[in-house]
Amino acid sequence: MDNGGSSIPDEEWERFLREAEAGTAGAPEEPSARARMVSQRLREETGPPAPWRGHQPPRRRGRGWYAVGLLLVVALFVVALKPDLVTGWFGSGEDDTPLTAESVRPSAPPASEAALQRPTPDDPFRGSPAARWADGAAGITLPKARATGWMSERQVAGALDDSLAFLVDAGVDPGVLRGERPEKAIAALNPKQADTRAFLASAFDSPSRKNNPLLLFSRFDPSYARLAGDVVRTRGRITYREGGRGAVEVTADVTFVYPLVRAAGGEDVARTVVRREIVMSWDDPSKVITEPGTFTLLSYKVDSANGGCDNDTGYFVPTFDEGTGAGEGPPVDPYDRSATVDDLTRGRGDAECGTYTRT
């Protein structure tokens, strides 16, 4: 049978065209009359393809904005009731960038915190300038050593390192902070110095205002308070010059910040801030009776905030309330290092304790 000049059945042409359209067969470049006829018939049967519009999900007008508004109202309600709960979402509001080392006396006290935050056991320095201070020995700046007095450059470097070690042993050592006898620090004191021997003879067994171990050492009664964590923040510097008889005279001016919690437990955190100015003389053994590796105490001054007023117990006794510290005289900022201890406490008179603006 003649089918338009082609011997291929209609079913085969239909299959061929479908496969060609799907890419599974090689379509002829110029279809024959038979192919054109079958293609026309297929188009007539199936009709023109519907235009493609893509995926159009059904619209739900208004519901998205309603959900956003509801969430906003809930967030504002939480902020109003518990502002501290969301502080951590956007940072504490404090600048926690570590300060550079203190090389000279600052010209002003540290700025007050814009949003004062109460400390917690997990963040005991929060709301305090000490949040930006360094830990332990890292917060005490050592100068570059040079030959001075009877010492060579190398000997001066050793004296500076030993002076720093004394400050750490006396004010940062965990055992000393728990009330233990500061044996390592005591070993650095010249045993030939008569007034030092008298001080040490009674300071720990029979402390008094005159022979109070807190003048040189930081101690807390472990039955009353303990350190919150294991970090003491410090800020200060060591300087030196040639002293009498060619000695190397080292001066330390350091502020220690101790975060504490009650020994019995609890979430309240108190901070005791202690500033010490100590002058140490590394004497020429050919001119002064001394023991190698020890120094002579020339002077020592201490001022403490929230350490207990008129305290002769031999331990700092912090209070765990929100007070600024009871005392006499004008308010003193214990973090202020822009003046000497004498200058900051000049208006106090004979009172042992001052009134502190913040701890």
Side-chain angles (χ1 to χ4, degrees):
M1 180 182 294
D2 185 3
N3 293 315
S6 171
S7 61
I8 302 176
D10 291 347
E11 292 82 7
E12 290 298 322
W13 271 107
E14 290 176 7
R15 182 181 62 80
F16 177 84
L17 291 175
R18 289 192 182 96
E19 290 178 352
E21 188 174 6
T24 57
E29 294 183 1
E30 186 67 29
S32 64
R34 174 62 177 170
R36 289 194 296 271
M37 182 182 68
V38 174
S39 298
Q40 177 65 30
R41 192 182 68 188
L42 288 174
R43 284 195 294 270
E44 291 174 353
E45 292 177 355
T46 59
W52 183 82
R53 298 180 181 275
H55 179 65
Q56 298 278 344
R59 295 184 179 181
R60 299 179 179 179
R61 296 182 179 180
R63 293 190 179 184
W65 286 111
Y66 173 79
V68 171
L70 180 60
L71 289 175
L72 181 60
V73 170
V74 172
L76 291 174
F77 183 70
V78 171
V79 171
L81 292 180
K82 295 282 188 180
D84 289 343
L85 187 63
V86 298
T87 300
W89 298 354
F90 308 102
S92 65
E94 301 177 27
D95 182 3
D96 56 359
T97 305
L99 292 178
T100 56
E102 182 182 289
S103 57
V104 297
R105 188 180 301 284
S107 59
S112 299
E113 303 304 313
L116 192 63
Q117 303 286 327
R118 286 188 59 78
T120 66
D122 292 332
D123 193 0
F125 299 101
R126 189 169 117 181
S128 152
R132 302 180 61 195
W133 293 7
D135 299 348
I140 306 172
T141 306
L142 281 178
K144 182 178 180 180
R146 64 181 186 279
T148 303
W150 71 280
M151 286 186 169
S152 66
E153 178 181 321
R154 182 176 180 181
Q155 289 172 311
V156 170
L160 293 173
D161 288 340
D162 289 344
S163 299
L164 176 62
F166 171 79
L167 296 171
V168 173
D169 292 337
V172 180
D173 180 85
V176 176
L177 297 180
R178 291 193 299 266
E180 298 174 9
R181 189 178 176 90
E183 299 291 356
K184 290 174 64 177
I186 291 174
L189 302 175
N190 180 8
K192 308 296 185 180
Q193 188 177 3
D195 52 354
T196 299
R197 290 200 308 270
F199 169 80
L200 295 175
S202 61
F204 299 99
D205 297 329
S206 304
S208 63
R209 184 169 183 178
K210 179 181 179 181
N211 292 325
N212 191 335
L214 301 180
L215 295 173
L216 285 174
F217 313 105
S218 294
R219 309 169 77 231
F220 298 90
D221 184 347
S223 67
Y224 176 72
R226 60 179 175 81
L227 205 65
D230 56 0
V231 172
V232 175
R233 290 284 167 86
T234 62
R235 187 155 182 83
R237 65 192 184 282
I238 289 176
T239 58
Y240 68 97
R241 66 176 186 177
E242 182 176 350
R245 300 180 182 180
V248 175
E249 187 177 296
V250 176
T251 299
D253 180 358
V254 181
T255 300
F256 302 82
V257 183
Y258 303 99
L260 302 147
V261 293
R262 292 183 177 90
E267 294 296 309
D268 290 338
V269 177
R271 287 188 289 251
T272 295
V273 184
V274 180
R275 183 175 175 188
R276 289 197 172 93
E277 292 177 350
I278 303 175
V279 182
M280 301 164 265
S281 180
W282 294 88
D283 299 315
D284 183 347
S286 67
K287 299 178 181 178
V288 176
I289 300 176
T290 185
E291 289 288 336
T294 67
F295 63 83
T296 300
L297 275 172
L298 295 185
S299 67
Y300 45 94
K301 300 174 184 177
V302 63
D303 188 51
S304 63
N306 195 24
C309 201
D310 296 321
N311 177 16
D312 296 334
T313 65
Y315 302 101
F316 288 121
V317 184
T319 57
F320 288 89
D321 56 29
E322 299 184 27
T324 58
E328 300 178 15
V332 175
D333 182 353
Y335 298 97
D336 185 0
R337 297 186 46 77
S338 64
T340 65
V341 168
D342 285 342
D343 290 338
L344 290 174
T345 60
R346 196 178 304 281
R348 188 184 303 171
D350 294 332
E352 183 178 350
C353 299
T355 300
Y356 300 97
T357 56
R358 54 180 174 174
T359 53

